Amino acid sequence: MTDTGSNTMTGRARRCLGVLLGLIAALAVVPLPAAHADGGGEGATVVRTTAGAVRGEVTGLGRQFLGIPYAADPVGKLRWQPPRPHARWSGVRDATDFSNRCVQGSSWDPGYEQPTHTEDCLSLNVYAPKTKGAQRDRPVLVWFHGGGLTAGAGSDVVPDTFADASGAVVVTINYRLGAMGFLSLPGLQESGNYGMLDQQAALRWVRANAARFGGDADKVTIAGESAGGRSVCDQLASPGARGLFRGAVIQSGAYDDCNARTRAAADADGLAFAKKLGCEDAATVAACLRAKPAAELLKAQSGHNWNPVVGSSFLPRQPAEAFASGEYPRVPVVNGANRDEGTLFAFGAYDGAGKPLTAEQYPAAIRNAFGAEKAEQVLRAYPLSAFKTPTLAYAAAVGDQLMACPADRLNSRIAGTAPVYAYEFADETGPPFASLRNLDTDFPFGATHVNELQYLFRHFGLEAPFTAAEKKLSRQMTAYWSSFVRTGRPTAPGLPAMPEQSRTPGKVLTLQTAPAGGPEVSGDFGKRHHCEVWGG
């Protein structure tokens, strides 16, 4: 995405992504008296990790261990440093509540009504299913949450039902966000990539501790949605993550073609951020910023770019280049997007603000979003006559440019060097995800951004108000994802396999309840999303 209009649209979408996800932050973990800890057999609520014992709890679906620290608190001198190992503790640490969320603003998501200023947040949650056969050697799924790399937490999804259905151990993590996770300044070690390095530290923790919860460290799949999916993309291209996973799932995460900021651009943005806070002396800028309260840093971070940085040991080259050249771990990948990705962003810009887009305003909105040079081509591809409202026409263009066509390009880059399986979530009549259900609107979100999560997990810990057909689709999607976690191939009993792109380029598994009555393979994904307009 190189034209001015595309960059403008991506920036708007990124700001919207930053207010999407969340769940209630609970009390910090408290050490308890020493107790016996076993190796994680069926029913064990106390498990001894490499840093000390933790006590979880048994639920109707298995066992869960919440708020386990995987790295030292990144506070004081450790702010803007790569993650360090957590100190060992004595006794048994309580692991029955989620820990602090990382520093972030408030949003409309359940539990995110107030900003969070806590930095002692590098924790993870482990969900171990009931025993079905062997107690050991289960596959492991590690989930990276979304939120535009400025919001969200590992508690955003509760994957206990997925763990039970799949027989996999599921791990969800927190990682540093916004300025805390992605500040870039000249001279800082691993500048601009601290949140990504946190994810790698969590993966190393999983490798060291998976067996203690019944998992197999050699059977790890990483997965994520939105910024979490983009994180998966970057970890695929990062040398530091090699050997830590054997499969990857990218859900609505190929935006920006997974590419990172350049070092020069990131450092310039970091210095501008520091100047806003009165830290202008190059010799002391890092120390000056470390002395600032988290709340002050959070208030100043709006308007800056908090994406990862290329040109470091974490990311020596852009992911798109690594994939095109085959210089990445050639593990199996599931990659996809939602049919109506753009409705969420269009609603936020227009109808949700009480200003529905009109037919007269539509051409100007397209020019503003994508630039005058691109506008005429976009208007021909997305005529108002093809949509129920101007807002939905605008939404289609936004979703195709931002998510669908980058996903299509990513499939093409990976195909031929590694198995890549493609899907499109298209359940357009399903309920909007939890945050949108709380809004007083009848806006037709359709299969919008984030909406597939509730079909795989308990999003925000809530049960989705599904019809019988939607519950069936949820089970079918869980079967595909579970199969991939177990075998590296996404299949489901009695249903078509998810298409592998080197064999069937352009074909995707359409995940839907109607009109076909269930998942089906369809072709011409790029044509249906006008990818010829968007450079792919």
Side-chain angles (χ1 to χ4, degrees):
M1 303 179 186
T2 57
D3 64 85
T4 302
S6 294
N7 287 337
T8 300
M9 187 61 247
T10 300
R12 177 183 299 160
R14 187 178 292 113
R15 289 191 294 275
C16 290
L17 284 165
V19 295
L20 291 181
L21 305 174
L23 186 65
I24 294 175
L27 299 175
V29 222
V30 181
L32 295 179
H36 173 70
D38 67 19
E42 180 181 11
T45 56
V46 178
V47 173
R48 192 172 302 280
T49 73
T50 49
V54 294
R55 176 180 287 116
E57 60 185 336
V58 175
T59 72
L61 296 171
R63 295 174 297 147
Q64 60 185 29
F65 303 82
L66 310 179
I68 305 174
Y70 66 82
D73 296 337
V75 298
K77 292 182 178 180
L78 295 186
R79 186 191 275 180
W80 300 308
Q81 292 286 343
R84 307 287 179 83
H86 196 281
R88 292 187 58 82
W89 61 81
S90 59
V92 180
R93 193 179 182 101
D94 183 65
T96 59
D97 276 316
F98 296 118
S99 69
N100 295 323
R101 299 193 305 259
C102 292
V103 176
Q104 59 192 279
S106 59
S107 79
W108 58 359
D109 290 326
Y112 283 81
E113 292 81 11
Q114 300 295 325
T116 302
H117 302 139
T118 46
E119 294 180 73
D120 53 337
C121 62
L122 298 186
S123 66
L124 51 76
N125 314 298
V126 180
Y127 299 82
K130 291 179 181 177
T131 297
K132 295 178 181 178
Q135 296 181 17
R136 304 286 183 183
D137 305 324
R138 297 180 181 278
V140 180
L141 176 68
V142 179
W143 180 260
F144 301 147
H145 69 78
L149 301 179
T150 61
S155 54
D156 288 353
V157 301
V158 176
D160 49 1
T161 54
F162 183 92
D164 180 59
S166 65
V169 174
V170 184
V171 180
T172 68
I173 74 165
N174 291 353
Y175 54 92
R176 282 174 282 182
L177 303 165
M180 296 302 189
F182 298 95
L183 176 69
S184 182
L185 290 172
L188 278 183
Q189 183 185 1
E190 291 293 349
S191 188
N193 291 316
Y194 306 111
M196 297 289 115
L197 295 173
D198 292 343
Q199 294 174 3
Q200 290 186 1
L203 289 173
R204 289 192 294 272
W205 185 97
V206 168
R207 184 155 191 83
N209 290 280
R212 301 163 190 260
F213 297 88
D216 187 334
D218 292 323
K219 299 177 181 177
V220 174
T221 298
I222 59 174
E225 182 271 342
S226 193
R230 189 249 171 78
S231 297
V232 171
C233 211
D234 288 340
Q235 296 298 353
L236 272 168
S238 176
R242 292 183 182 177
L244 297 177
F245 56 89
R246 68 168 188 174
V249 179
I250 301 169
Q251 298 175 213
S252 304
Y255 62 93
D256 289 345
D257 288 319
C258 301
N259 284 333
R261 298 178 288 169
T262 65
R263 172 64 61 201
D267 283 352
D269 194 45
L271 290 171
F273 169 74
K275 185 176 180 179
K276 285 167 63 175
L277 289 156
C279 299
E280 300 186 50
D281 185 345
T284 62
V285 61
C288 178
L289 288 174
R290 287 191 177 106
K292 301 291 183 181
E296 191 173 342
L297 295 166
L298 176 63
K299 185 177 180 180
Q301 77 177 28
S302 177
H304 293 271
N305 187 328
W306 304 114
N307 277 342
V309 179
V310 70
S312 66
S313 60
F314 166 73
L315 202 61
R317 62 192 306 189
Q318 291 286 14
E321 297 174 9
F323 300 146
S325 66
E327 296 181 11
Y328 69 102
R330 300 183 183 187
V331 301
V333 175
V334 165
N335 177 47
N338 296 355
R339 178 162 292 176
D340 305 309
E341 294 274 7
T343 54
L344 178 64
F345 308 118
F347 173 81
Y350 294 104
D351 295 47
K355 300 177 181 179
L357 192 61
T358 67
E360 293 74 20
Q361 294 168 335
Y362 179 62
I366 292 296
R367 285 193 294 272
N368 181 59
F370 306 110
E373 185 176 343
K374 176 74 72 174
E376 291 308 313
Q377 187 182 11
V378 176
L379 289 169
R380 288 193 300 271
Y382 301 86
L384 287 178
S385 59
F387 299 91
K388 292 182 178 179
T389 70
T391 301
L392 293 179
Y394 177 87
V398 169
D400 290 351
Q401 183 261 359
L402 184 66
M403 298 291 183
C405 296
D408 193 49
R409 289 194 293 272
L410 180 59
N411 289 338
S412 298
R413 290 188 178 108
I414 295 176
T417 61
V420 55
Y421 303 90
Y423 76 88
E424 180 176 41
F425 175 76
D427 194 29
E428 296 180 324
T429 60
F433 65 90
S435 305
L436 301 182
R437 294 198 298 270
N438 292 332
L439 301 177
D440 183 19
T441 180
D442 58 359
F443 185 83
F445 288 102
T448 195
H449 191 64
V450 185
N451 225 42
E452 87 281 11
L453 286 187
Q454 61 188 330
Y455 288 73
L456 293 168
F457 312 115
R458 290 196 295 128
H459 195 200
F460 302 122
L462 303 173
E463 300 293 340
F466 285 152
T467 64
E470 290 153 3
K471 289 179 180 178
K472 182 178 180 180
L473 178 59
S474 174
R475 293 192 297 270
Q476 291 167 336
M477 289 175 60
T478 298
Y480 280 109
W481 265 244
S482 299
S483 170
F484 183 74
V485 170
R486 291 193 306 268
T487 70
R489 297 182 302 278
T491 61
L495 295 171
M498 194 177 292
E500 201 282 300
Q501 296 301 287
S502 66
R503 299 175 183 173
T504 54
K507 290 189 175 182
V508 301
L509 181 71
T510 303
L511 299 166
Q512 60 193 359
T513 57
E520 66 173 357
V521 173
S522 56
D524 297 325
F525 177 85
K527 183 177 180 180
R528 284 188 287 110
H529 289 281
H530 303 287
C531 292
E532 73 283 355
V533 174
W534 308 114

